[in-house]
Amino acid sequence: MSKPLTDQEKRKQISVRGLAGVENVSDLKTNFNRHLHFTLVKDRNVATKRDYYFALANTVRDHLVGRWIRTQQHYYEKDPKRVYYLSLEFYMGRTLQNTMVNLALENACDEATYQLGLDMEELQDIEEDAGLGNGGLGRLAACFLDSMASLGLAAYGYGIRYEFGIFNQKIVSGWQVEEADDWLRYGNPWEKARPEYMRPVHFYGRVEHTPEGVKWVDTQVVLALPYDTPVPGYRNNIVNTMRLWSAKAPCDFNLKDFNVGGYIQAVLDRNLAENISRVLYPNDNFFEGKELRLKQEYFVVAATLQDIIRRFKASKFGSTEYVRLDLSTLPDKVAIQLNDTHPALAIPELMRILVDVEKLTWEKSWDIVVRTCAYTNHTVLPEALERWPVDLFQNLLPRHLEIIYEINRRHLERIAKLYPGDHDRLRRMSLIEEGNVKKINMAHLCIVGSHAVNGVARIHSEIIKDTVFKDFYDVDPQKFQNKTNGITPRRWLVMCNPGLAEVIAERIGEDYIRDLDQLKKLLKFVNDDAFIRDVAKVKQENKMKFAAHLEDHYKVKINPNSMFDVQVKRIHEYKRQLLNCLHIITLYNRIKREPNKSWTPRTIMIGGKAAPGYHTAKMIIKLITSIGDIVNNDPVVGDRLKVIFLENYRVTLAEKVIPAADLSEQISTAGTEASGTGNMKFMLNGALTIGTMDGANVEMAEEAGEENLFIFGMRVPDVEALDKKGYDAMSYYNRIPELKQAMDQISGGFFSPNQHDLFKDLVNMLMHHDRLELISCVITVDMHITNPKEWTKMVIHNIAGCGKFSSDRTITQYAREIWGMEPSLEKIAPSLPET
């Protein structure tokens, strides 16, 4: 019998990782050693793993540079319409492996490092995640960048280069503890500072109305220093740019007016200006109206718009002479997409530039702004909507406040003409909310200032039109669209699950990677025993690998033959990790009641971060870990039920756990999760979904067949009816014995023996402030797992139905239906011809 293949030998056989030609490998080795030498390592024996990682990263980066320059030159020659994706978050994760996948270098680099006596996977593990996002919204932006490059769009991602990204989560005695994410500590080989494009950004000051026009004077200036990161398309030689701004104090900061002896303090105070790009606000789906956050929002917008207009005027490659002076054609050459309301200030800022600086009329300027901007709404949760106090604006951005007032005046004038005497409608639709504290409703500003407004799943886009923005839909129905979210199949299949990618490629070829609809062809194989076996085998290997990872990193032993039941996402009441907890307790009680029954073993994994100021979310984490302490140490239960909290869930951990999952928990109350994208990642990687009819789950059930998901719970109309009627948790508590037992155990201290009332707030919330249904679906899932072959057939139906959920489809729709651009699958030349 032949000895089993090593990991490296297995990887070599995976064709989707690219060809390892002899020349290629030999060149890579030469370049690797050259870079190692440049890290000032005189002797290979003293090089650290990190030295090797940087050498490999720089070697791979060399392959990007020629393509990057060539792409930008290509855009200058062709002068296409450009799209600017503005986002306060880009949750990129690691870059090395993704770059190798998109450049078809994976097998060649693997072979080169292997010949040099190194293990490429070990080197990949040294890279820090770029955690510049909280969750779905930031990760969506990252997937979109990958798709825009792969579809040949002239696209730019613009955001902030946070010095500290989303915090690292430690679990200490069952509680979340935050640690700063010092991701730049060792440097970042993927970014290039571009000081030549530094831009001033103004704050504070006052407004002067003069005969020559309006002037914003006596401002404080902060400089925006851009850092560019290459974004390679999938094997088409296109490399786009993500440009992130970092805040720098000007040289004369605080020195113009310092008193004798104040020099040292003035230099120390430079930190105040530079704090703007210091740290990502760690809130997901929650608005915190802090001045520093408003500064961040204006900072990215003001720097980006200067860049957009400079590029619009300059057009010829490498030329700084302005050739386009007429800004009326801006919407023909520029599309600006606002990722939620966070970059909403782009609307008044572009107005300020056109009216005050370029001296266009208000009417002409407003026409340009509306035709250029489009807005994506990401949530209907009221606590997440941005409402900025007017006095904060008055102080920080006085000119923008005046402009917003004028936008509002004209907007309300139009509404009053359409609905004479309807004062309540004017109040509802105003950009300014009256009350104790006057506030600016940023969503209303975005709708009025954009030509397109979209939700991120069909059900969410309907809810927007029917409820939150109904008044706006009534007057401008043509503005409202749906763009169901998607994920990039490069990172979320080829890169994180090469085994499955290969099994699929063996049946239908590799083209599906750029055209995910081709997965439909797998339906031919749904009864093919060999295919069923292959799919199940890949899943089992992924489970073994993840079990080994948990043992290595967390000293946790799990049974790889159990069902991996996974809920990973930010911790939030609406995502209902608590419903999962009640289910776990119920399962535990059933096993305890009938210990001799044959139970399908389960390992339930829950992971995700809680915003540091969100007390309830932190209590939910403590409850999960406390339930784990009891369940995992009960000898009667053994390994039939285990509860694991996955610490520090992030992009890189998602790439490991998702390919190993059997069951994906998507259990938000219907009408609360705008779309979800984790749901799509699990589906693509061969897990089955247990979930509610919420967000994109609705469309997933449609694509795969509802019989191939475990759908339970109320639909949106049921939830609305229950809200009207008044939800009474007590009646459920008294009617369902298993639910009553679980609640009594939580409130009675069964899971907190040292502090019986530890979870009283959670219990109180569940009994008095929550909508709850106990899962009725668990029995169905248990039945299916006992028949592995039927389970795998359901899995194949799910994978075959994933085509719609590629971000390539999403971006194609944005391009055609919002931006007025046409995607292209053509390859360009990899680099400039030699002169």
Side-chain angles (χ1 to χ4, degrees):
M1 188 175 137
S2 61
K3 71 178 193 341
L5 297 176
T6 66
D7 275 356
Q8 202 264 343
E9 288 167 329
K10 262 190 214 154
R11 298 200 297 261
K12 241 160 114 165
Q13 296 180 351
I14 296 179
S15 64
V16 293
R17 292 164 54 95
L19 295 169
V22 181
E23 265 105 272
N24 212 351
V25 171
S26 145
D27 287 350
L28 285 168
K29 283 162 68 178
T30 307
N31 288 329
F32 180 92
N33 283 321
R34 187 170 52 90
H35 279 295
L36 194 62
H37 179 71
F38 288 151
T39 59
L40 303 183
V41 174
K42 293 282 176 285
D43 173 4
R44 283 250 340 232
N45 299 318
V46 299
T48 63
K49 284 255 165 72
R50 179 163 284 104
D51 293 324
Y52 290 131
Y53 160 69
F54 275 102
L56 178 57
N58 285 308
T59 303
V60 171
R61 190 171 155 269
D62 289 344
H63 286 256
L64 281 170
V65 175
R67 292 174 168 94
W68 200 3
I69 294 166
R70 176 74 193 90
T71 301
Q72 300 314 309
Q73 187 194 32
H74 176 74
Y75 292 155
Y76 269 103
E77 289 163 2
K78 292 266 187 292
D79 193 30
K81 186 168 185 178
R82 292 171 159 88
V83 60
Y84 295 94
Y85 196 83
L86 269 61
S87 182
L88 268 280
E89 303 185 19
F90 286 95
Y91 202 172
M92 302 294 284
R94 289 175 177 167
T95 296
L96 175 58
Q97 194 185 357
N98 185 245
T99 305
M100 294 190 295
V101 164
N102 281 11
L103 265 47
L105 282 172
E106 226 181 340
N107 269 332
C109 287
D110 205 339
E111 185 56 31
T113 48
Y114 178 72
Q115 289 181 19
L116 292 165
L118 299 164
D119 177 0
M120 189 166 77
E121 285 196 351
E122 273 183 30
L123 301 188
Q124 285 170 178
D125 268 334
I126 288 163
E127 183 174 358
E128 298 275 357
D129 273 42
L132 307 185
N134 278 285
L137 173 145
R139 184 52 235 175
L140 185 78
C143 283
F144 280 2
L145 292 182
D146 181 89
S147 286
M148 289 186 293
S150 297
L151 292 168
L153 294 170
Y156 301 78
Y158 273 91
I160 295 176
R161 180 181 178 265
Y162 300 107
E163 197 176 321
F164 296 92
I166 187 65
F167 61 86
N168 284 314
Q169 178 193 59
K170 291 269 185 290
I171 301 297
V172 179
S173 318
W175 297 93
Q176 167 175 299
V177 177
E178 300 88 21
E179 253 177 22
D181 165 42
D182 193 3
W183 72 290
L184 293 168
R185 181 175 42 218
Y186 299 106
N188 173 7
W190 304 106
E191 69 182 8
K192 175 82 183 78
R194 306 298 300 275
E196 66 274 28
Y197 292 117
M198 191 134 63
R199 298 280 170 254
V201 176
H202 298 261
F203 293 102
Y204 304 110
R206 55 191 176 79
V207 180
E208 282 181 356
H209 291 262
T210 72
E212 295 79 60
V214 183
K215 296 204 170 74
W216 179 19
V217 297
D218 296 340
T219 55
Q220 292 183 22
V221 175
V222 177
L223 300 176
L225 170 64
Y227 285 79
D228 287 356
T229 299
V231 178
Y234 182 71
R235 302 185 186 182
N236 62 356
N237 295 322
I238 284 187
V239 181
N240 283 344
T241 302
M242 174 177 68
R243 176 163 285 181
L244 302 181
W245 301 100
S246 184
K248 275 298 263 164
C251 292
D252 60 3
F253 185 78
N254 268 10
L255 287 169
K256 305 174 282 301
D257 42 22
F258 82 91
N259 7 15
V260 183
Y263 163 71
I264 294 289
Q265 195 52 47
V267 174
L268 298 184
D269 285 346
R270 291 169 61 84
N271 278 127
L272 300 174
E274 295 172 359
N275 275 338
I276 291 175
S277 56
R278 194 80 66 204
V279 60
L280 167 74
Y281 272 85
N283 302 317
D284 187 73
N285 274 301
F286 183 77
F287 171 61
E288 183 178 6
K290 293 281 193 283
E291 183 180 47
L292 181 60
R293 171 67 172 193
L294 186 57
K295 277 185 175 166
Q296 289 181 338
E297 293 184 353
Y298 180 62
F299 176 75
V300 65
V301 155
T304 300
L305 278 169
Q306 291 179 67
D307 227 22
I308 291 175
I309 287 168
R310 171 192 61 78
R311 200 177 280 118
F312 169 77
K313 287 180 171 180
S315 90
K316 276 207 297 291
F317 185 63
S319 141
T320 50
E321 299 158 49
Y322 287 169
V323 291
R324 262 202 210 100
L325 295 171
D326 177 13
L327 282 158
S328 62
T329 61
L330 191 76
D332 305 326
K333 288 295 177 186
V334 169
I336 295 174
Q337 191 67 35
L338 306 174
N339 194 24
D340 212 325
T341 57
H342 313 147
L345 287 166
I347 291 165
E349 172 67 4
L350 185 51
M351 278 304 280
R352 186 188 69 79
I353 294 168
L354 296 175
V355 174
D356 296 357
V357 182
E358 300 287 340
K359 305 287 193 236
L360 272 63
T361 65
W362 181 278
E363 291 72 17
K364 182 73 201 157
S365 302
W366 184 244
D367 174 66
I368 292 170
V369 168
V370 173
R371 285 167 51 217
T372 303
C373 296
Y375 158 57
T376 301
N377 171 273
H378 282 273
T379 182
V380 295
L381 298 180
E383 66 269 28
L385 296 178
E386 293 197 294
R387 297 178 163 94
W388 288 104
V390 162
D391 43 15
L392 199 58
F393 256 83
Q394 182 64 260
N395 184 33
L396 190 70
L397 300 168
R399 178 56 180 148
H400 296 77
L401 183 60
E402 289 185 351
I403 290 169
I404 289 168
Y405 277 151
E406 179 61 15
I407 292 170
N408 194 41
R409 188 186 68 73
R410 291 168 180 249
H411 159 60
L412 291 181
E413 202 170 80
R414 175 186 173 221
I415 302 304
K417 276 208 189 81
L418 291 170
Y419 299 92
D422 191 344
H423 297 298
D424 197 51
R425 184 178 297 261
L426 292 179
R427 179 191 58 73
R428 292 197 310 266
M429 294 184 75
S430 177
L431 308 193
I432 312 294
E433 294 180 358
E434 304 294 340
N436 285 347
V437 181
K438 277 174 68 166
K439 292 183 172 169
I440 303 170
N441 184 313
M442 301 305 271
H444 291 183
L445 173 62
C446 285
I447 296 168
V448 171
S450 297
H451 68 279
V453 175
N454 73 280
V456 289
R458 190 201 304 135
I459 186 176
H460 166 63
S461 297
E462 292 303 321
I463 288 171
I464 280 175
K465 296 190 296 192
D466 295 344
T467 58
V468 256
F469 302 144
K470 181 178 193 303
D471 292 326
F472 293 90
Y473 176 67
D474 288 344
V475 297
D476 284 315
Q478 76 293 340
K479 276 191 183 183
F480 288 78
Q481 303 191 18
N482 173 243
K483 295 285 169 280
T484 300
N485 284 162
I487 57 173
T488 170
R490 273 73 65 181
R491 183 176 294 265
W492 296 111
L493 180 59
V494 180
M495 184 182 127
C496 72
N497 201 344
L500 181 58
E502 189 67 8
V503 162
I504 294 169
E506 283 167 1
R507 302 313 195 284
I508 65 170
E510 279 185 39
D511 280 356
Y512 74 90
I513 298 168
R514 39 185 350 150
D515 176 16
L516 209 62
D517 277 324
Q518 294 191 27
L519 288 177
K520 284 192 179 63
K521 297 178 184 171
L522 292 177
L523 290 173
K524 295 202 288 286
F525 301 95
V526 77
N527 294 307
D528 178 319
D529 283 343
F531 186 59
I532 292 170
R533 223 176 15 250
D534 285 350
V535 170
K537 178 167 172 265
V538 166
K539 177 62 72 182
Q540 197 50 42
E541 284 173 357
N542 291 337
K543 289 172 73 173
M544 305 282 279
K545 194 167 180 183
F546 189 66
H549 172 80
L550 283 185
E551 213 176 321
D552 287 352
H553 290 76
Y554 303 101
K555 309 291 169 255
V556 178
K557 252 195 143 67
I558 57 170
N559 170 12
N561 298 311
S562 62
M563 183 206 291
F564 285 11
D565 173 341
V566 184
Q567 186 179 25
V568 284
K569 54 189 69 238
R570 286 295 290 256
I571 311 292
H572 206 293
E573 288 158 78
Y574 86 85
K575 294 178 187 282
R576 294 203 295 190
Q577 284 90 356
L578 277 172
L579 183 56
N580 200 348
C581 288
L582 289 172
H583 177 234
I584 295 169
I585 296 170
T586 303
L587 241 36
Y588 171 73
N589 291 331
R590 288 178 188 172
I591 294 172
K592 294 285 279 186
R593 254 200 319 278
E594 305 182 72
N596 299 321
K597 198 173 149 185
S598 129
W599 297 96
T600 303
R602 274 198 201 224
T603 303
I604 299 176
M605 308 183 207
I606 304 179
K609 292 173 183 176
Y614 189 176
H615 173 251
T616 303
K618 292 186 138 177
M619 287 307 301
I620 292 170
I621 291 175
K622 178 59 174 170
L623 177 62
I624 296 163
T625 56
S626 302
I627 293 170
D629 289 339
I630 299 293
V631 172
N632 299 347
N633 294 300
D634 190 324
V636 175
V637 174
D639 73 355
R640 293 181 288 186
L641 183 61
K642 289 280 182 237
V643 180
I644 310 289
F645 187 84
L646 296 173
E647 183 177 274
N648 203 30
Y649 180 65
R650 60 200 186 282
V651 173
T652 293
L653 188 53
E655 291 162 2
K656 294 180 166 74
V657 68
I658 291 171
D662 292 306
L663 192 63
S664 158
E665 300 266 358
Q666 308 296 337
I667 58 178
S668 54
T669 308
T672 63
E673 187 74 88
S675 167
T677 44
N679 47 3
M680 303 166 186
K681 293 162 193 171
F682 282 104
M683 182 181 184
L684 183 58
N685 281 278
L688 297 184
T689 302
I690 180 165
T692 50
M693 277 298 199
D694 197 21
N697 297 357
V698 178
E699 291 160 81
M700 286 163 50
E702 195 173 290
E703 296 296 305
E706 199 174 322
E707 68 281 6
N708 294 307
L709 285 77
F710 304 107
I711 297 290
F712 72 95
M714 298 187 288
R715 310 298 205 255
V716 169
D718 307 318
V719 175
E720 286 168 356
L722 187 60
D723 280 348
K724 270 207 187 69
K725 187 183 104 194
Y727 167 73
D728 174 23
M730 258 343 250
S731 65
Y732 291 84
Y733 171 83
N734 289 318
R735 200 169 69 239
I736 305 168
E738 285 191 311
L739 176 60
K740 181 177 192 303
Q741 181 187 6
M743 293 295 290
D744 291 349
Q745 286 169 311
I746 297 171
S747 60
F750 181 84
F751 296 106
S752 52
N754 300 326
Q755 192 187 334
H756 283 222
D757 65 348
L758 180 60
F759 298 116
K760 67 170 189 299
D761 292 354
L762 285 185
V763 172
N764 180 44
M765 196 260 299
L766 284 174
M767 295 307 287
H768 304 293
H769 310 289
D770 189 52
R771 291 192 292 261
L772 245 221
E773 320 118 3
L774 192 64
I775 294 184
S776 58
C777 194
V778 52
I779 304 94
T780 352
V781 181
D782 278 333
M783 282 173 0
H784 272 284
I785 193 84
T786 53
N787 185 343
K789 188 169 176 181
E790 288 309 307
W791 181 279
T792 305
K793 285 185 181 185
M794 287 173 74
V795 165
I796 294 166
H797 276 285
N798 272 268
I799 296 170
C802 271
K804 177 177 185 178
F805 306 108
S806 168
S807 47
D808 296 346
R809 186 269 315 153
T810 312
I811 288 298
T812 298
Q813 290 184 329
Y814 275 97
R816 290 179 178 153
E817 298 162 26
I818 298 181
W819 303 332
M821 298 166 74
E822 190 53 38
S824 142
L825 288 177
E826 69 161 328
K827 267 188 161 182
I828 64 167
S831 60
L832 300 172
E834 296 296 319
T835 46

